[in-house]
Amino acid sequence: MNAGSQEAAAGQEAYGQEMYSLVERLYPLCRSITGDGVRETLRIVDEYVPLDVHEVPTGTQVLDWTVPREWNIRDAYVADATGRRVVDFRESSLHVLGYSVPVAARMPLSELRGHLHTLPDHPSWVPYRTSYYTPTWGFCLAQDTLDALEEGEYEVRIDSTLADGHLTYAEHVVPGQVPDEVIVSCHVCHPSLANDNLAGIAVAVFLARELARRKPWFTYRFIFAPGTVGAITWLARNRERVDRVKHGLVLACAGDPGQLTYKRSRRGDAGIDRVLRHVLSASGRPHRITGFTPYGYDERQYCSPGFDLGVGSLTRTPYAGYPEYHTSADDLDFVSPAAMADTLAVCREAFAVLDRDRHYVNLSPYGEPQLGRRGLYGSLGGRSDAEQAQMAMLWVLSLADGEHSLLDVAERAGLPFDTVADAADALHGAGLLKA
Amino acid sequence: MNAGSQEAAAGQEAYGQEMYSLVERLYPLCRSITGDGVRETLRIVDEYVPLDVHEVPTGTQVLDWTVPREWNIRDAYVADATGRRVVDFRESSLHVLGYSVPVAARMPLSELRGHLHTLPDHPSWVPYRTSYYTPTWGFCLAQDTLDALEEGEYEVRIDSTLADGHLTYAEHVVPGQVPDEVIVSCHVCHPSLANDNLAGIAVAVFLARELARRKPWFTYRFIFAPGTVGAITWLARNRERVDRVKHGLVLACAGDPGQLTYKRSRRGDAGIDRVLRHVLSASGRPHRITGFTPYGYDERQYCSPGFDLGVGSLTRTPYAGYPEYHTSADDLDFVSPAAMADTLAVCREAFAVLDRDRHYVNLSPYGEPQLGRRGLYGSLGGRSDAEQAQMAMLWVLSLADGEHSLLDVAERAGLPFDTVADAADALHGAGLLKA
Amino acid sequence: MNAGSQEAAAGQEAYGQEMYSLVERLYPLCRSITGDGVRETLRIVDEYVPLDVHEVPTGTQVLDWTVPREWNIRDAYVADATGRRVVDFRESSLHVLGYSVPVAARMPLSELRGHLHTLPDHPSWVPYRTSYYTPTWGFCLAQDTLDALEEGEYEVRIDSTLADGHLTYAEHVVPGQVPDEVIVSCHVCHPSLANDNLAGIAVAVFLARELARRKPWFTYRFIFAPGTVGAITWLARNRERVDRVKHGLVLACAGDPGQLTYKRSRRGDAGIDRVLRHVLSASGRPHRITGFTPYGYDERQYCSPGFDLGVGSLTRTPYAGYPEYHTSADDLDFVSPAAMADTLAVCREAFAVLDRDRHYVNLSPYGEPQLGRRGLYGSLGGRSDAEQAQMAMLWVLSLADGEHSLLDVAERAGLPFDTVADAADALHGAGLLKA
């Protein structure tokens, strides 16, 4: 992946625009944990990378959960006495409480208020609210809109269905040289929120496309699933596969202007944790690394103690860390091509390391092997790099005891990872190492 | 113990006065490692909490030691030529060297000097000295008193007996729900010294009374024994019980004005060490935590490498850390009701945590269990506490792998211990955890 | 070794002079990885400590290497048209490229330049260069000398032989009470360089003489061998002995004015690492401790992962850390008797600790053993030392569980190592410890 990663970097700016365009296409759709909004989202993603779409029937037992009824919505509004829609689902998918049961009624504002959700601290923003497991209905609107409503009768209509159907999720696999897998997981259940998580979906899509153009070591599996119950459904249906998952990354909030944040896996020192720490630090980017918490995105499920996978989470500003979170202000202006391109670049760099990181064993561990007669002195790089390449070979030989990975070697030696990996390739080629 | 601990806190001030009154009653008695002073001390303590008193005959082999002869004393003085008592045991039990053999003689001051102990740096204070295993006699007095003595003949009289008898110690047990034990140990061998260790005895007594009013998880065993040989005697006679001792605390110097000091067990990371660190830190009290040293009080014996119990030591100013230590200045003015009440409060808080701390195993560890259908969302606490309670449940579920105790969870999550323990109770009640 | 170490310290100044004299004698010889220069060096060292000299034939397989042909040189020069030697091996052994093949030719300066090595940044210094495994010839000279040469024809002559012969190394053994060994290793392949490594050889020789006057616990084996291939040869011929090597030290650059530097073994926490850290810190000397790197001196071979011996390296200014390194400026003015005496003193102190460090087991681990009846209270040292000696005994008893060495005890207790070792001797003598 190394030579290609430079080519990829060159296309970073163009990728930013393409990712932004994808976000724009997905933005208007009304997604939820089930329903046609998810299907249409996956249909669009499939134009970029081919997807295997899975439909799991309502009522299916998935781990401790049950696949819920499918929710679909065609229209929803609150109209005043003149018939004017004062709250209109056609303007924004956020205006309806997610999973609202159908309703068609007239009622005074005083009664309606109990079904209206606003953000008094941000009176012009519309909040995002759901009620998946308690049957009810509601509308979300700006406090300013609410304040402008006059008392009196209103027509209330939610043209939704909540019925047996399916939960929909999709996978895209980039085959590798080994069946060991790296998973990249995005939630696809949020309606018109750009950063959370359309930017994450877009970065995942373009990451998959880049990987597909290479022949990576690991098999990379991209999972596009509704949050919580979707990840739980994937885990329930892939319990035998979980043993093959060596690393994973949950991508979300990938496009806001904040600095990058990596949240460690529950293990705290899994391979992905070490790689992200190394890459973020080596890149010189301002960033933050936080410990695992059992809250946030679907790392909660992948890292639940029974699975305890080495899955971390990469975001820019993390979960609930910005005022626009779960509001209408998480819109197309809140995310940028440059921020998504930067998130993609870090993923690319991290997976480049992850993909080359190995545990080698020195086959000539008693004393130093004589590198000169094997043509390994000064054989790598230009004159100024020769000394570093030679040190890298000595470090790899010294630490290739099966306990230290190449990333361990790079960090212990204070050498760039690629220099160490190149040295290992040369030593491996000379028969001095086995994997 | 939780609800009760608030009620207990309310009574803290009253307890301080009651503890001080007990110290006042015990202060005049001449205690030593054997003899009637210890018996009378235990008789008074028995008025507060019922004691099992054990009498172990002189000559009994206890571990590497032998129970010594019993020492009793009725009177002792140095009188001048006029018959005036210039040093008088009736004034203070400190005036006689502990375990002095009997003597009745007349001698010049020049000869007597070899038997007189003073503190030249604190000329008005009387030192506390003993000679348990080298038979000799002596008097302790103020340097000022000595300086005022004229040369000439003095009458010297120590009316003591050193004879086969018994070593006396006592136990008080607060039964718990499990036979696993927590021991609380105090030395009862020091004569008229208020901080070292009458304050420790008083705190232990009131701690026992509080525990007795609850139904604690652990069985709490209070040991009142002479220092060193008494603790060794208890260990020698309870070798089969030692396996049941999960935690322990040696209480001493519990009433001086200094800040609290916790000295870790030899293990350094025993449960009691972690609990005291947590409670002292969470309480905001100024305090000090020190590493184990094989010196001090009877933690030396409980933590000897053959036993290596998880027993720490709680004091205010520690062993030998104040000038009044082992002098007549460690008197009733040196200790206060408030300081003893504060020591008692920390013990109460620590044992409240210790008693609820458990290692649970998540019975639904694959993905998150669905808390909503079990009524566990928002089921605990008021509205403002609901979010913290929910986070506590997620943290407990995440870390309930048998490796992490509830205290580990609380510290990792940054949540109050009680919140975490309440969450664990709720999850346990819902069948999601096993102990 | 304790009492003797004070006597030894007294002779430190005298030793400094004697070591310097040895350096002066060895300085003119032309050493390389084989040949008569090494033999003559070992013959002189043998005058100080008796050596077992080993001759290993050319072509012998040693681990991954093969013993090379033997190189000897009688004369070498570059002469100008008048016959004047402008570069003359008789002036300094550095003037010829080590392992130069023979040459006798006339050539213009323009052609000769490709065989001349200088240090443009230090125009008055002659560099040290070798070409062991690529057959070529060359001269090393000052840039100033080169700049003064006029164009024209020069006579070039190197009267060397490169032929089947032997690699020569030597050992000196100081027998100990146990067959477990400590190795001290010096490279003897560098020509006229005083610090690198004649000072190291001199310190090793006098360290061996001091040890020989004692009856040390460990068997100390001093290895004088050419760098890299010499150490590899020793390892190849002593593979069964390696299991007996418990500790080791590579000595080099032992006489320059810089502060001491200890480079840890690959293990990082081997016994020798802990001892050097302790001794350097306790001595109050300014010093530096660095992590292992797979470069430097023969610790590279002893610490190769197949052997992974507990061998560190002691230098003053380390490998390549001073401008005079591998140049004619590493001469007799660059090293001093005082610096060598200081290096020797640290070796002495370190081996005094290493030699007494033990893992004991407390035979009376249940409660404290009664020290008084064994006469162990106040039995050691003067009155002011008695309390420290008693604390040392309690610490040894507390930590003598087979897991903690006496050095562990000293560091944990904050007591001088000798006090702790004396306490252990007393307890061992009383039957309270077993080794």
Side-chain angles (χ1 to χ4, degrees), chain A residues 31 42 69 93 107 126 170 186 251 257 324 362 400 416:
Chain A
R31 281 163 292 273
L42 298 177
R69 286 186 294 168
S93 68
M107 61 185 70
V126 178
C186 294
L251 278 177
E324 297 85 354
N362 180 345

Side-chain angles (χ1 to χ4, degrees), chain C residues 96-427:
Chain C
V96 72
L97 178 80
Y99 257 65
S100 278
V101 297
V103 63
R106 302 187 72 85
M107 61 185 68
L109 181 57
S110 56
E111 182 182 343
L112 180 55
R113 281 186 192 276
H115 292 273
L116 300 182
H117 304 273
T118 64
L119 291 167
D121 289 346
H122 294 282
S124 66
W125 296 356
V126 179
Y128 164 53
R129 294 281 188 281
T130 64
S131 181
Y132 298 136
Y133 299 102
T134 303
T136 185
W137 60 267
F139 288 90
C140 301
L141 65 161
Q143 182 69 39
D144 290 344
T145 305
L146 177 57
D147 291 345
L149 293 188
E150 297 181 5
E151 297 300 324
E153 284 275 306
Y154 286 87
E155 183 194 354
V156 172
R157 174 132 172 90
I158 297 180
D159 180 13
S160 67
T161 53
L162 196 53
D164 284 356
H166 296 82
L167 177 149
T168 311
Y169 72 86
E171 296 174 286
H172 170 76
V173 174
V174 179
Q177 299 172 46
V178 293
D180 291 341
E181 293 197 0
V182 177
I183 60 173
V184 179
S185 180
C186 294
H187 63 282
V188 296
C189 54
H190 282 26
S192 300
L193 300 171
N195 194 41
D196 176 15
N197 187 32
L198 302 180
I201 294 169
V203 168
V205 164
F206 281 79
L207 185 59
R209 279 168 56 154
E210 286 194 24
L211 286 164
R213 286 203 298 274
R214 287 155 184 70
K215 178 75 178 165
W217 178 255
F218 288 114
T219 294
Y220 286 79
R221 180 174 303 269
F222 289 78
I223 302 169
F224 301 93
T228 306
V229 70
I232 284 170
T233 300
W234 186 87
L235 283 163
R237 292 161 56 97
N238 288 276
R239 294 191 68 154
E240 81 299 329
R241 183 184 305 284
V242 159
D243 289 340
R244 273 195 251 158
V245 175
K246 302 306 175 195
H247 312 282
L249 198 60
V250 169
L251 277 176
C253 303
D256 71 75
Q259 67 181 26
L260 285 155
T261 300
Y262 177 71
K263 172 180 160 182
R264 293 175 185 275
S265 73
R266 180 179 177 278
R267 293 185 202 165
D269 64 347
I272 191 79
D273 300 324
R274 303 191 54 250
V275 164
L276 263 292
R277 178 172 54 76
H278 176 83
V279 164
L280 284 168
S281 170
S283 77
R285 286 175 176 87
H287 67 275
R288 227 164 52 108
I289 294 182
T290 66
F292 180 75
T293 60
Y295 213 60
Y297 294 105
D298 285 326
E299 65 276 10
R300 294 163 65 167
Q301 310 309 328
Y302 301 118
C303 296
S304 56
F307 295 114
D308 201 20
L309 298 177
V311 174
S313 171
L314 185 68
T315 60
R316 301 194 72 84
T317 307
Y319 174 86
Y322 46 99
E324 298 85 352
Y325 174 78
H326 276 197
T327 78
S328 58
D330 179 1
D331 61 11
L332 292 168
D333 291 336
F334 187 60
V335 300
S336 70
M340 285 188 275
D342 184 58
T343 307
L344 176 63
V346 164
C347 291
R348 178 192 303 125
E349 292 164 29
F351 285 5
V353 171
L354 193 66
D355 217 59
R356 293 187 87 184
D357 198 19
R358 300 274 189 291
H359 286 78
Y360 284 108
V361 173
N362 179 345
L363 294 172
S364 183
Y366 294 98
E368 284 174 24
Q370 198 179 11
L371 299 179
R373 69 172 156 87
R374 294 177 174 91
L376 291 175
Y377 263 143
S379 64
L380 295 171
R383 185 144 186 75
S384 65
D385 298 332
E387 194 177 340
Q388 205 175 53
Q390 179 183 325
M391 282 305 297
M393 279 190 281
L394 292 176
W395 273 108
V396 169
L397 288 167
S398 180
L399 295 179
D401 52 10
E403 299 294 310
H404 297 86
S405 76
L406 295 182
L407 182 56
D408 292 323
V409 176
E411 297 205 325
R412 175 87 176 269
L415 292 169
F417 176 83
D418 281 345
T419 303
V420 169
D422 291 349
D425 285 348
L427 293 167

Side-chain angles (χ1 to χ4, degrees), chain B residues 130-384:
Chain B
T130 64
S131 181
Y132 299 135
Y133 298 102
T134 304
T136 184
W137 60 268
F139 288 90
C140 301
L141 65 161
Q143 181 69 38
D144 289 343
T145 305
L146 176 57
D147 293 345
L149 294 187
E150 295 181 7
E151 297 300 324
E153 285 274 305
Y154 286 86
E155 183 194 355
V156 173
R157 173 127 172 94
I158 296 180
D159 178 13
S160 68
T161 53
L162 197 52
D164 284 355
H166 295 82
L167 177 147
T168 312
Y169 72 88
E171 296 174 288
H172 170 76
V173 174
V174 180
Q177 300 172 47
V178 292
D180 291 341
E181 293 197 0
V182 177
I183 60 173
V184 179
S185 180
C186 295
H187 62 283
V188 296
C189 54
H190 283 25
S192 301
L193 300 172
N195 195 41
D196 178 14
N197 187 33
L198 301 180
I201 294 169
V203 169
V205 164
F206 281 79
L207 185 58
R209 279 169 55 154
E210 285 195 24
L211 285 164
R213 284 203 299 274
R214 288 156 184 68
K215 178 76 178 167
W217 178 257
F218 288 114
T219 294
Y220 287 80
R221 179 175 303 270
F222 290 78
I223 302 169
F224 301 93
T228 304
V229 70
I232 284 169
T233 299
W234 185 88
L235 283 163
R237 292 161 55 98
N238 289 276
R239 296 192 65 156
E240 82 300 328
R241 183 183 307 283
V242 158
D243 290 340
R244 272 197 252 158
V245 175
K246 301 306 174 194
H247 312 281
L249 196 59
V250 169
L251 277 176
C253 303
D256 71 75
Q259 67 180 25
L260 284 154
T261 299
Y262 177 71
K263 173 181 161 182
R264 294 175 185 276
S265 74
R266 179 180 178 277
R267 295 184 198 165
D269 63 348
I272 190 78
D273 300 323
R274 303 192 54 251
V275 165
L276 264 294
R277 177 171 55 75
H278 177 83
V279 164
L280 285 169
S281 170
S283 77
R285 286 175 176 88
H287 66 275
R288 227 164 52 107
I289 294 182
T290 67
F292 180 75
T293 60
Y295 213 59
Y297 294 104
D298 285 326
E299 66 275 12
R300 292 163 66 167
Q301 310 309 327
Y302 301 118
C303 296
S304 57
F307 295 113
D308 200 20
L309 297 177
V311 174
S313 171
L314 184 68
T315 60
R316 300 194 72 84
T317 307
Y319 175 87
Y322 46 98
E324 297 84 354
Y325 174 78
H326 276 198
T327 78
S328 57
D330 179 0
D331 61 10
L332 292 169
D333 291 337
F334 188 59
V335 300
S336 71
M340 284 188 276
D342 184 58
T343 307
L344 175 63
V346 164
C347 291
R348 177 192 304 127
E349 293 164 28
F351 285 5
V353 171
L354 192 65
D355 217 58
R356 293 188 88 184
D357 199 19
R358 300 275 189 291
H359 286 77
Y360 284 108
V361 174
N362 180 345
L363 294 172
S364 182
Y366 294 97
E368 285 174 25
Q370 198 179 10
L371 300 178
R373 69 172 156 88
R374 294 177 174 89
L376 292 174
Y377 262 142
S379 64
L380 295 171
R383 183 141 186 78
S384 66

